Every structure is written in structure tokens, then in C-alpha cells.
Amino acid sequence: MDEHEHGHDSGMGHSHNLDPALFESSAATNEPIGLIMTLHICFMVLAFGILYPLGMVLGLARNKWHVPVQILASAVFVVGYFLAHAHNGRNYEPHIAHRWFAHIVIWAVIGQFGLGVYLKLHLEKGILGKVRPLLTKIHKYLGASIPVIGYVQIVLGVIASLGFCYGDHQGQCLAHFIMGSSFVAYGIVMLLMLRVGGPLLIRNGKSQEWYDSWVILAWGIVNTFTEHRWGHDWNHGDYQHTSMGVIWWAAGILGVVLSRNGKRSVIPSILIILTAAAFQGHAQHVANSGTIHSYFGYMLAAGGLSRIIEICFVWKQDEPTKVDPWQYLPPLTLVLAGFLFMGSTEEQLGYLSLLDIDVMSYINILLSFGFVVFVFAYSLIHLWEYLTNYPNSPNTNRGGYTEVVSDRETVLDASSAFLDDDDDEEEDDFGNHDSHHESVELKNTNRLNSVPRNAIM
């Protein structure tokens, strides 16, 4: 046997032609990850976990540092990509999701980078000028999607590095990561709407719960018809997850009806509490699984209960105040619950037993990830507020001064570029704008005399 063949049999080195016998029970070989693969992980987390989201916010704020940060992120990504093809040590099953999803990531980055170069060159003659508005929108939405695409790839990379979600474990693993990621995303969206989404909700005449209920309805329909393999016998897991889908679309319908015309509703929060109770009652087959699922259930129930309290007792429709500290509890608990659920698969808990790590220490680490993600999301939103002088941001209240808002429409027009199209403005190479802003009167005040940010939240 020559050296090349020996490398394949042992799983050493990067290869797409490994012996399938190496992956009978796991999608990864038993060798150490190695320094090069560790660097690949670090570079990709830096690019997609930090730099691209930061560049996205700078772009939405039309800041001059948007282009340098995006270039740096792309450079880090390119280095990380080549590191992934130069590693030794642990190798991976050739058809894992992390590998094929990499093609989507690559083309998304190439498309976004190419559109950015085109827009920066200001090619406005002929057909290039006519398609510029369309390409500007594509650039904006593609840029906003890259952090999401990057998050998916990072999660798939974590799964691949440990060889999880393989064989019979695939369905259970996917359910945990998809549902857990959904709770994390829900928490971040709630935080986003709490900070900068109020004007959009007021303008549309909708409440947050109206949108939540439609998502719950759609998710329930999907779960009802996808959790059971039709044509096969039903088992307890099929009954659990299919019944969960039924209650979701049923509650979603009620939520849509009760939250019409901008009315607040507690139905989504009640459903979250019921979902938490259902997960706590699920039969578990792995040691320590009951403990972490109970912790997840309590955290999820806390999110639903705190949301009910916020809607019924904390939120004041006509009181122009800052965001109440209590209002951060629902999104925070949802993010924490999401990480707990993503970290509670059978393979992960079995690995804990193998390493002799107690489940509470593991829970503390998962919660730490949740806190870090929440503060990073909050920091990005706060940075956008700071750079754009969004109402109630630090720039609008320095020294006790803020803009005097003359009418309701002025407040509604303050909605963020996170949520609205504002492609009419063009910026030069230094981040300056060509738009004409009306002068505003400055008045010594400590409160924004306008419709509050949390008028809908």
C-alpha cells in the first residue's frame, strides 16, 4: 500500500475519496482536528460571526468603514477557505452538509463582493445605469442574508467537526438545531423590533404578535405534515412532533384573528409556554437528557410568561418612555432557550458522559454562548442607532438635546434601514450622502416628545 492509499485508510489529510467503511457510525474520523483545521474554524467564525455582520450594519448606516470591513471579511474568508483544503488530521465524510452548503456561501460572497464593486464604480451609463436601482436592492438584501448564511455554515461546521447528525441520529439532530436556531432567531427579531421596529409597525398598522402568529401558523402546518414518514408505522416521536404541529397552526389561527388591526395578543406567548411544557414531558432515552430538557422548558416558559407580563402590565401605548428593562427578558430568554435546545441532542449528551462532564457545567457553557450572541446582536443594533442618530440613540440625547418632532409622520419616517428601503440616497467614496436633510430645531429636553419606540412593542 502506498502512502496515498494509507492516508485514505487512516483518514489523514483532506480528501473526497475516503473509504466509506471509515464512516459507519460517525461522519468524522478519530484523528485530532489539527492546527490547520483549528485555524480554519477561527478564520470562518471571525469572518461570518463578527466581520460580515459588522460590515452589514456599517453598510445600512452608510458609514465610510463599510467597504474596508467587507474587504477584510472577504480576505479572512478566502484564507479560511484554503486552510480547509490544506488540513491534516481528522477527515470527514465526503457528502456532509457543511461541504455542499459551502458552494452557496461562496457564491453569495462572490455575488455580494461583485455587486459592491459595481456600485462603488458608479457605472451609470446605458444599461448599467438602468439596472442600478435593482442591483442596489439585491446588494442590500444579499448583504443582510450573508450573516444568516454564515451562521448556518458555522453550525454545520460544528456538527461536521464532531461527526454528529449522521445515520440514525440525523432526524433528531436536525430537529434540535432547526428548532433551537428558530428560537434564537425569534429572540433576535424581537430585540430588533423592540429597538428600531416600532415606526414600521405603526406605519403598517400591525402588531408584533400579528406577524408572530402568521409564522406560528405556517410552521405548524409544515410540522404537521413533515414530522412523520408517511407510509411507515407511527411511533411516540411522530405523535409528539405531529401533535405539536397541530397545536401550533391552531393557535396561530387564533393569534392572527385576535391581533388584527394592530392589537396586542398573548396567544404567541401562551403557545410558547405550552410548547415548553410539552418538551419537558417528552420521553428521553439518554442520561442527563431529562435535566437539560427541563432546564430548556423552564427557560422557554420564562420567555412566554415574561412576554405576557410585558404586554399586559409593562407596555404603555401612550407613554413616551424609553424601553423598560423588563422588555429585554422575553428576547433574552428565547435566545438562551434556543442554545439549550441546540445543545441537547442524544449524541452531544452521550459525548458528555464519555468526557465525564456534568450536565450543569455544560448548561452553563451553553447559556454563556447565548449571552454572548445576545450582547453582540444588541451591540450591532446600538451601533446602527448611534451612527444614524436614530431616536433615543446616544447621539440624540447628548447634553440633554434631541430633535423636536413636529408631527407623527416624522416619527414614522425614522424607521430603520434594517426594515425599510431607502435606496434613494447615494454615498460617495467617503460615506457622504447626496440627500438633502431639512433643518431641525433643537430643544433642551430629556425625553422624545413623540410616539414612543415601544408604542407597538
Side-chain angles (χ1 to χ4, degrees):
M1 179 181 296
D2 60 25
E3 182 179 354
H4 181 70
E5 292 175 340
H6 178 74
H8 283 185
D9 288 341
S10 65
M12 297 293 289
H14 178 82
S15 175
H16 292 257
N17 301 305
L18 297 172
D19 184 356
L22 293 171
F23 308 105
E24 291 182 355
S25 60
S26 174
T29 57
N30 294 325
E31 287 77 20
I33 291 180
L35 175 61
I36 294 179
M37 181 55 70
T38 301
L39 290 175
H40 161 74
I41 295 172
C42 293
F43 272 68
M44 289 307 192
V45 170
L46 175 62
F48 289 102
I50 299 177
L51 293 178
Y52 275 124
L54 177 60
M56 175 193 70
V57 171
L58 294 174
L60 292 174
R62 300 180 181 274
N63 186 270
K64 64 181 180 180
W65 289 102
H66 165 65
V67 173
V69 171
Q70 292 294 82
I71 292 175
L72 176 61
S74 299
V76 172
F77 163 70
V78 171
V79 174
Y81 174 80
F82 284 106
L83 286 173
H85 289 75
H87 72 90
N88 289 316
R90 184 174 302 178
N91 219 317
Y92 309 95
E93 204 276 332
H95 304 99
I96 55 175
H98 184 66
R99 274 182 174 162
W100 67 258
F101 195 79
H103 299 292
I104 297 177
V105 176
I106 292 169
W107 284 111
V109 171
I110 291 175
Q112 177 69 356
F113 191 87
L115 287 172
V117 172
Y118 158 76
L119 294 175
K120 207 64 181 175
L121 292 176
H122 295 282
L123 303 175
E124 301 178 358
K125 294 183 179 180
I127 187 64
L128 293 178
K130 293 180 180 179
V131 300
R132 183 180 178 86
L134 174 61
L135 295 181
T136 300
K137 288 187 176 182
I138 294 176
H139 179 69
K140 176 180 178 179
Y141 292 118
L142 183 59
S145 69
I146 283 183
V148 178
I149 294 174
Y151 166 81
V152 174
Q153 184 67 339
I154 289 173
V155 171
L156 292 176
V158 172
I159 294 172
S161 65
L162 297 173
F164 289 166
C165 293
Y166 192 66
D168 295 337
H169 297 286
Q170 188 177 52
Q172 190 255 3
C173 185
L174 286 175
H176 274 257
F177 277 97
I178 292 174
M179 182 64 77
S181 296
S182 299
F183 285 127
V184 172
Y186 188 18
I188 292 176
V189 169
M190 285 179 63
L191 175 64
L192 178 63
M193 300 305 290
L194 176 66
R195 296 292 303 184
V196 299
L200 177 69
L201 296 174
I202 295 172
R203 183 187 299 115
N204 293 341
K206 306 294 183 182
S207 68
Q208 176 72 44
E209 290 74 33
W210 188 83
Y211 293 103
D212 293 348
S213 297
W214 276 109
V215 174
I216 289 169
L217 171 60
W219 192 279
I221 293 174
V222 171
N223 272 20
T224 299
F225 296 102
T226 59
E227 290 297 330
H228 169 68
R229 292 186 178 182
W230 299 100
H232 294 75
D233 293 335
W234 286 74
N235 56 45
H236 78 279
D238 293 339
Y239 288 122
Q240 288 174 339
H241 296 106
T242 302
S243 63
M244 187 69 66
V246 173
I247 193 175
W248 272 54
W249 64 253
I253 293 175
L254 178 59
V256 170
V257 172
L258 295 182
S259 58
R260 292 174 301 163
N261 302 320
K263 296 179 181 178
R264 302 299 302 269
S265 170
V266 297
I267 297 301
S269 302
I270 292 175
L271 181 64
I272 288 176
I273 295 175
L274 295 176
T275 301
F279 276 111
Q280 283 185 305
H282 275 197
Q284 307 299 331
H285 307 287
V286 179
N288 295 325
S289 183
T291 302
I292 193 170
H293 276 80
S294 294
Y295 212 110
F296 159 75
Y298 291 133
M299 190 66 68
L300 192 60
L305 180 60
S306 61
R307 183 70 166 173
I308 292 176
I309 295 174
E310 185 263 329
I311 292 172
C312 297
F313 304 106
V314 177
W315 171 70
K316 303 297 182 183
Q317 182 174 3
D318 299 320
E319 185 179 4
T321 60
K322 296 180 180 179
V323 176
D324 191 281
W326 183 272
Q327 293 178 286
Y328 290 110
L329 279 179
L332 174 60
T333 50
L334 286 175
V335 170
L336 297 179
F339 274 93
L340 286 173
F341 198 60
M342 282 191 286
S344 60
T345 67
E346 294 176 350
E347 291 173 295
Q348 289 167 312
L349 296 176
Y351 196 52
L352 288 183
S353 299
L354 182 64
L355 298 177
D356 196 26
I357 298 176
D358 69 280
V359 69
M360 291 309 301
S361 298
Y362 179 59
I363 287 174
N364 289 337
I365 298 301
L366 293 175
L367 294 177
S368 299
F369 278 116
F371 281 115
V372 170
V373 169
F374 189 86
V375 73
F376 183 62
Y378 175 87
S379 299
L380 291 178
I381 297 171
H382 184 75
L383 175 63
W384 182 89
E385 293 174 336
Y386 179 86
L387 294 175
T388 60
N389 288 337
Y390 186 76
N392 288 345
S393 67
N395 273 5
T396 60
N397 202 25
R398 288 182 176 179
Y401 287 93
T402 187
E403 294 184 6
V404 174
V405 182
S406 58
D407 54 37
R408 177 184 176 89
E409 291 303 319
T410 304
V411 179
L412 301 188
D413 290 338
S415 187
S416 79
F418 276 103
L419 308 168
D420 288 340
D421 286 327
D422 54 355
D423 299 321
D424 294 336
E425 294 185 9
E426 294 287 346
E427 65 177 64
D428 60 23
D429 292 340
F430 299 97
N432 300 317
H433 310 300
D434 296 332
S435 60
H436 302 285
H437 301 284
E438 297 181 359
S439 60
V440 295
E441 175 190 358
L442 294 181
K443 180 180 179 181
N444 196 353
T445 179
N446 288 321
R447 301 178 73 182
L448 182 64
N449 299 318
S450 64
V451 177
R453 172 196 295 153
N454 61 342
I456 292 297
M457 296 306 298

Tab-separated table of all heavy atoms in Angstrom, residues 150-176:
chain	number	residue	atom	x	y	z
A	150	GLY	N	-23.912	32.601	6.846
A	150	GLY	CA	-22.707	32.272	7.600
A	150	GLY	C	-23.010	31.542	8.891
A	150	GLY	O	-22.289	30.613	9.277
A	151	TYR	N	-24.096	31.946	9.567
A	151	TYR	CA	-24.487	31.250	10.801
A	151	TYR	C	-24.813	29.785	10.511
A	151	TYR	O	-24.378	28.889	11.247
A	151	TYR	CB	-25.698	31.944	11.423
A	151	TYR	CG	-26.371	31.117	12.497
A	151	TYR	CD1	-25.863	31.081	13.790
A	151	TYR	CD2	-27.506	30.357	12.208
A	151	TYR	CE1	-26.463	30.309	14.772
A	151	TYR	CE2	-28.112	29.580	13.190
A	151	TYR	CZ	-27.591	29.567	14.462
A	151	TYR	OH	-28.182	28.791	15.427
A	152	VAL	N	-25.568	29.550	9.445
A	152	VAL	CA	-25.914	28.175	9.082
A	152	VAL	C	-24.653	27.362	8.817
A	152	VAL	O	-24.513	26.221	9.285
A	152	VAL	CB	-26.838	28.156	7.846
A	152	VAL	CG1	-27.073	26.723	7.371
A	152	VAL	CG2	-28.162	28.832	8.164
A	153	GLN	N	-23.710	27.958	8.104
A	153	GLN	CA	-22.476	27.237	7.780
A	153	GLN	C	-21.630	26.984	9.026
A	153	GLN	O	-20.986	25.933	9.147
A	153	GLN	CB	-21.676	28.021	6.733
A	153	GLN	CG	-20.418	27.326	6.246
A	153	GLN	CD	-20.691	26.067	5.434
A	153	GLN	OE1	-21.758	25.470	5.524
A	153	GLN	NE2	-19.718	25.656	4.636
A	154	ILE	N	-21.618	27.928	9.955
A	154	ILE	CA	-20.881	27.723	11.202
A	154	ILE	C	-21.487	26.567	11.993
A	154	ILE	O	-20.768	25.700	12.518
A	154	ILE	CB	-20.874	29.014	12.045
A	154	ILE	CG1	-19.975	30.073	11.390
A	154	ILE	CG2	-20.387	28.731	13.464
A	154	ILE	CD1	-20.033	31.426	12.066
A	155	VAL	N	-22.822	26.533	12.086
A	155	VAL	CA	-23.488	25.441	12.801
A	155	VAL	C	-23.193	24.100	12.124
A	155	VAL	O	-22.871	23.106	12.789
A	155	VAL	CB	-25.006	25.690	12.870
A	155	VAL	CG1	-25.732	24.456	13.404
A	155	VAL	CG2	-25.302	26.891	13.759
A	156	LEU	N	-23.286	24.079	10.794
A	156	LEU	CA	-22.971	22.849	10.067
A	156	LEU	C	-21.508	22.452	10.267
A	156	LEU	O	-21.180	21.262	10.307
A	156	LEU	CB	-23.266	23.032	8.578
A	156	LEU	CG	-24.742	23.191	8.196
A	156	LEU	CD1	-24.873	23.473	6.700
A	156	LEU	CD2	-25.538	21.951	8.575
A	157	GLY	N	-20.636	23.444	10.402
A	157	GLY	CA	-19.229	23.155	10.642
A	157	GLY	C	-18.995	22.544	12.014
A	157	GLY	O	-18.178	21.622	12.164
A	158	VAL	N	-19.699	23.055	13.022
A	158	VAL	CA	-19.588	22.474	14.366
A	158	VAL	C	-20.056	21.021	14.349
A	158	VAL	O	-19.414	20.126	14.921
A	158	VAL	CB	-20.410	23.300	15.372
A	158	VAL	CG1	-20.467	22.596	16.723
A	158	VAL	CG2	-19.814	24.695	15.522
A	159	ILE	N	-21.182	20.781	13.672
A	159	ILE	CA	-21.703	19.417	13.570
A	159	ILE	C	-20.704	18.515	12.850
A	159	ILE	O	-20.427	17.386	13.281
A	159	ILE	CB	-23.055	19.424	12.830
A	159	ILE	CG1	-24.106	20.163	13.657
A	159	ILE	CG2	-23.516	18.009	12.528
A	159	ILE	CD1	-25.410	20.391	12.920
A	160	ALA	N	-20.140	19.022	11.745
A	160	ALA	CA	-19.200	18.215	10.960
A	160	ALA	C	-17.930	17.916	11.735
A	160	ALA	O	-17.385	16.803	11.657
A	160	ALA	CB	-18.862	18.945	9.660
A	161	SER	N	-17.433	18.892	12.488
A	161	SER	CA	-16.161	18.706	13.193
A	161	SER	C	-16.237	17.581	14.220
A	161	SER	O	-15.229	16.942	14.525
A	161	SER	CB	-15.745	20.009	13.877
A	161	SER	OG	-16.660	20.358	14.904
A	162	LEU	N	-17.440	17.343	14.745
A	162	LEU	CA	-17.621	16.287	15.741
A	162	LEU	C	-18.195	15.008	15.143
A	162	LEU	O	-18.315	13.996	15.841
A	162	LEU	CB	-18.539	16.787	16.862
A	162	LEU	CG	-17.996	17.978	17.661
A	162	LEU	CD1	-19.054	18.505	18.618
A	162	LEU	CD2	-16.735	17.585	18.426
A	163	GLY	N	-18.578	15.064	13.870
A	163	GLY	CA	-19.132	13.878	13.219
A	163	GLY	C	-20.550	13.557	13.633
A	163	GLY	O	-21.007	12.413	13.482
A	164	PHE	N	-21.283	14.552	14.135
A	164	PHE	CA	-22.644	14.323	14.615
A	164	PHE	C	-23.657	14.375	13.469
A	164	PHE	O	-23.323	14.639	12.326
A	164	PHE	CB	-23.009	15.365	15.673
A	164	PHE	CG	-22.287	15.187	16.983
A	164	PHE	CD1	-22.285	16.194	17.936
A	164	PHE	CD2	-21.615	14.014	17.270
A	164	PHE	CE1	-21.626	16.039	19.143
A	164	PHE	CE2	-20.948	13.837	18.476
A	164	PHE	CZ	-20.957	14.855	19.415
A	165	CYS	N	-24.912	14.128	13.816
A	165	CYS	CA	-26.040	14.177	12.871
A	165	CYS	C	-25.838	13.202	11.715
A	165	CYS	O	-26.062	13.541	10.548
A	165	CYS	CB	-26.250	15.588	12.324
A	165	CYS	SG	-26.800	16.769	13.557
A	166	TYR	N	-25.410	12.002	12.025
A	166	TYR	CA	-25.087	11.022	10.991
A	166	TYR	C	-25.895	9.755	11.230
A	166	TYR	O	-26.144	9.358	12.366
A	166	TYR	CB	-23.588	10.714	11.021
A	166	TYR	CG	-23.076	9.936	9.831
A	166	TYR	CD1	-23.084	10.495	8.560
A	166	TYR	CD2	-22.577	8.645	9.982
A	166	TYR	CE1	-22.611	9.788	7.473
A	166	TYR	CE2	-22.093	7.933	8.898
A	166	TYR	CZ	-22.114	8.507	7.641
A	166	TYR	OH	-21.643	7.806	6.559
A	167	GLY	N	-26.326	9.127	10.154
A	167	GLY	CA	-27.053	7.868	10.263
A	167	GLY	C	-28.400	8.043	10.936
A	167	GLY	O	-29.180	8.936	10.606
A	168	ASP	N	-28.669	7.200	11.921
A	168	ASP	CA	-29.963	7.214	12.603
A	168	ASP	C	-30.179	8.465	13.444
A	168	ASP	O	-31.309	8.750	13.854
A	168	ASP	CB	-30.093	5.977	13.505
A	168	ASP	CG	-30.127	4.683	12.712
A	168	ASP	OD1	-30.487	4.747	11.511
A	168	ASP	OD2	-29.781	3.623	13.270
A	169	HIS	N	-29.116	9.200	13.729
A	169	HIS	CA	-29.238	10.394	14.563
A	169	HIS	C	-29.624	11.639	13.763
A	169	HIS	O	-29.858	12.694	14.345
A	169	HIS	CB	-27.915	10.675	15.283
A	169	HIS	CG	-27.501	9.597	16.230
A	169	HIS	ND1	-28.114	9.394	17.446
A	169	HIS	CD2	-26.534	8.641	16.132
A	169	HIS	CE1	-27.539	8.373	18.067
A	169	HIS	NE2	-26.581	7.898	17.292
A	170	GLN	N	-29.678	11.525	12.451
A	170	GLN	CA	-29.842	12.712	11.616
A	170	GLN	C	-31.150	13.450	11.889
A	170	GLN	O	-31.164	14.671	12.067
A	170	GLN	CB	-29.767	12.325	10.141
A	170	GLN	CG	-29.746	13.515	9.200
A	170	GLN	CD	-29.589	13.091	7.750
A	170	GLN	OE1	-30.335	12.249	7.254
A	170	GLN	NE2	-28.613	13.665	7.074
A	171	GLY	N	-32.267	12.731	11.930
A	171	GLY	CA	-33.560	13.381	12.117
A	171	GLY	C	-33.663	14.104	13.445
A	171	GLY	O	-34.091	15.265	13.511
A	172	GLN	N	-33.265	13.423	14.525
A	172	GLN	CA	-33.338	14.030	15.850
A	172	GLN	C	-32.411	15.232	15.960
A	172	GLN	O	-32.753	16.256	16.549
A	172	GLN	CB	-32.977	12.977	16.903
A	172	GLN	CG	-33.240	13.407	18.330
A	172	GLN	CD	-31.971	13.753	19.091
A	172	GLN	OE1	-30.878	13.733	18.531
A	172	GLN	NE2	-32.125	14.083	20.360
A	173	CYS	N	-31.247	15.121	15.347
A	173	CYS	CA	-30.271	16.208	15.382
A	173	CYS	C	-30.780	17.423	14.615
A	173	CYS	O	-30.695	18.561	15.093
A	173	CYS	CB	-28.954	15.710	14.795
A	173	CYS	SG	-27.601	16.887	14.889
A	174	LEU	N	-31.329	17.197	13.431
A	174	LEU	CA	-31.863	18.296	12.638
A	174	LEU	C	-32.988	19.015	13.372
A	174	LEU	O	-33.072	20.251	13.363
A	174	LEU	CB	-32.367	17.774	11.287
A	174	LEU	CG	-31.304	17.397	10.256
A	174	LEU	CD1	-31.959	16.790	9.019
A	174	LEU	CD2	-30.473	18.610	9.868
A	175	ALA	N	-33.865	18.240	14.009
A	175	ALA	CA	-34.980	18.845	14.737
A	175	ALA	C	-34.476	19.784	15.828
A	175	ALA	O	-35.001	20.891	16.015
A	175	ALA	CB	-35.862	17.751	15.335
A	176	HIS	N	-33.444	19.365	16.552
A	176	HIS	CA	-32.918	20.189	17.637
A	176	HIS	C	-32.260	21.458	17.109
A	176	HIS	O	-32.480	22.553	17.657
A	176	HIS	CB	-31.914	19.379	18.462
A	176	HIS	CG	-32.555	18.560	19.538
A	176	HIS	ND1	-32.541	18.917	20.859
A	176	HIS	CD2	-33.258	17.393	19.480
A	176	HIS	CE1	-33.186	18.017	21.577
A	176	HIS	NE2	-33.630	17.071	20.763
